[in-house]
Amino acid sequence: MLPVLFLSHGGGPAHLLDAAGSFFAAIDKNSPSADFLRNLPRLLRQENKTNGDIRCILVISAHWEEPQFTVEYPLKNPKLYYDYYGFPDEAYAPHTTYPVKTDLAVADRVIAQIEAASQGKWRVAKKERGFDHGVFIPLKVAFPEANIPVVQLSLKEGLSMREHIQLGEYLRPLRSEGVLIVTSGQITHNLRILQRSPMSSGRKDPQSVEFCEFICSLLESTTPENYEEQKDALANIHRVAPGFDYAHPRAEHFVPIAVAFGASFVKQPTDEAEIATDGLSSVASAQPSKFAERIYSEIVGSMGIDSYLFR
């Protein structure tokens, strides 16, 4: 079974640019967060030693909302949607491209899985829109060869945390079918505060620090046994977390983590091999020590760019 990822995707195309001396220097292509993305395939290989190849990457990005869950369904090669403004020409076509293919069989499987798991209560639409920067920027840094097909699934307008956790639960079976679920957002996303606490200042905004640590504690303490209790906390995160409205004046960059949460915390089969110890026997368990793990942590100004791996 493949893991699930939540990636903080940074600011626009910054991870592709040399932004030395600019507002985005702390998260440009020479930054630690870009290095983390470049090392992501190695981390996945270590995590997934015995679980087979990645057949397709399913991305749920903060930058696409629809009235109902919708799958990107291009009849030809997918296009890129350059949904950012004010960057140098090199951040746009023809300079920045990502010629990745999609897999319509997987897109159809996503639709069928959601509709079947919801017993027909949810209907999933198809649309040809193009991959937004929450998809192609982190994937271009992590998988520059563009040799793994990509499917994108939208968020749903209204941004209900509980509904997006449910979406993740419906998507769980795909993890055993070679589909790597990647959710793409930002652990904090308050652009107004970021202007007052710029990334170049070297200062970590204390409210952002408190919020990021609260989220880490909530996620890393979740197990299959306490999942329902923790699920309620995450579904009500705007009331539970300190400074949620400060970290996210609008929740679209946080909601992808709800999908990752719902797709995870699957109890692993137990290895029943008995180990003799002084005439007694013990059972070796295959359970991971953590079902959610923060695999990258950094705060630049008020921007938290933590990323998580879920099991």
Side-chain angles (χ1 to χ4, degrees):
M1 179 180 290
L2 291 173
V4 180
L5 295 172
F6 170 79
L7 301 178
S8 287
H9 60 238
H15 277 137
L16 300 179
L17 305 176
D18 185 345
S22 80
F23 181 82
F24 290 99
I27 55 169
D28 75 354
K29 71 177 184 179
N30 304 306
S31 66
S33 55
D35 284 342
F36 159 72
L37 288 173
R38 282 189 284 270
N39 286 324
L40 193 58
R42 179 180 58 82
L43 185 151
L44 287 170
R45 285 193 297 270
Q46 291 174 344
E47 176 72 20
N48 191 45
K49 288 177 182 176
T50 62
N51 290 320
D53 295 332
I54 299 171
R55 170 189 174 192
C56 182
I57 301 174
L58 172 64
V59 185
I60 297 93
S61 162
H63 291 279
W64 188 19
E65 300 171 40
E66 292 286 346
Q68 65 191 107
F69 291 114
T70 302
V71 168
E72 169 72 7
Y73 207 87
L75 297 181
K76 296 183 179 180
N77 290 337
K79 298 177 290 188
L80 300 188
Y81 177 33
Y82 299 89
D83 55 333
Y84 43 75
Y85 309 95
F87 288 90
D89 289 347
E90 64 185 289
Y92 305 90
H95 310 287
T96 292
T97 61
Y98 192 59
V100 73
K101 297 186 182 300
T102 193
D103 187 328
L104 294 184
V106 173
D108 288 335
R109 176 73 183 98
V110 170
I111 294 169
Q113 172 59 29
I114 294 171
E115 293 185 349
S118 68
Q119 298 181 326
K121 294 177 182 177
W122 292 16
R123 308 301 295 177
V124 180
K126 299 177 182 177
K127 184 174 183 178
E128 186 168 0
R129 169 183 180 263
F131 294 145
D132 60 63
H133 79 270
V135 179
F136 74 84
I137 295 298
L139 294 189
K140 183 175 176 64
V141 179
F143 303 100
E145 301 86 358
N147 58 1
I148 304 175
V150 175
V151 170
Q152 184 176 5
L153 175 64
S154 76
L155 301 177
K156 185 178 177 183
E157 292 175 358
L159 301 175
S160 162
M161 288 292 291
R162 192 173 296 277
E163 194 167 20
H164 286 83
I165 295 171
Q166 182 83 78
L167 172 65
E169 292 174 347
Y170 289 163
L171 294 174
R172 279 179 184 175
L174 301 181
R175 297 175 55 194
S176 298
E177 301 173 19
V179 176
L180 177 67
I181 300 173
V182 175
T183 65
S184 174
Q186 201 77 18
I187 207 71
T188 70
H189 192 260
N190 187 330
L191 300 182
R192 180 175 57 85
I193 298 299
L194 189 60
Q195 296 290 338
R196 300 207 309 253
S197 181
M199 292 180 281
S200 59
S201 68
R203 174 180 175 269
K204 294 183 179 181
D205 178 73
Q207 287 180 263
S208 297
V209 172
E210 182 183 22
F211 178 80
C212 290
E213 292 308 307
F214 180 90
I215 296 303
C216 182
S217 178
L218 173 67
L219 296 177
E220 290 195 342
S221 64
T222 303
T223 68
E225 287 72 27
N226 69 0
Y227 172 77
E228 292 298 329
E229 176 185 347
Q230 300 288 80
K231 172 180 170 179
D232 283 342
L234 188 63
N236 294 287
I237 197 68
H238 59 290
R239 293 196 294 266
V240 172
F244 183 85
D245 290 339
Y246 178 88
H248 292 279
R250 193 171 183 276
E252 82 287 341
H253 272 73
F254 189 79
V255 167
I257 211 167
V259 183
F261 184 94
S264 309
F265 305 105
V266 178
K267 197 166 187 177
Q268 303 298 315
T270 299
D271 181 359
E272 297 292 347
E274 293 187 347
I275 304 171
T277 308
D278 294 331
L280 301 175
S281 63
S282 61
V283 176
S285 173
Q287 304 308 313
S289 58
K290 288 182 179 178
F291 282 82
E293 182 176 355
R294 184 163 59 179
I295 53 175
Y296 186 77
S297 179
E298 185 183 11
I299 296 177
V300 285
S302 64
M303 179 184 283
I305 45 179
D306 295 357
S307 291
Y308 286 86
L309 183 145
F310 295 82
R311 300 177 175 95

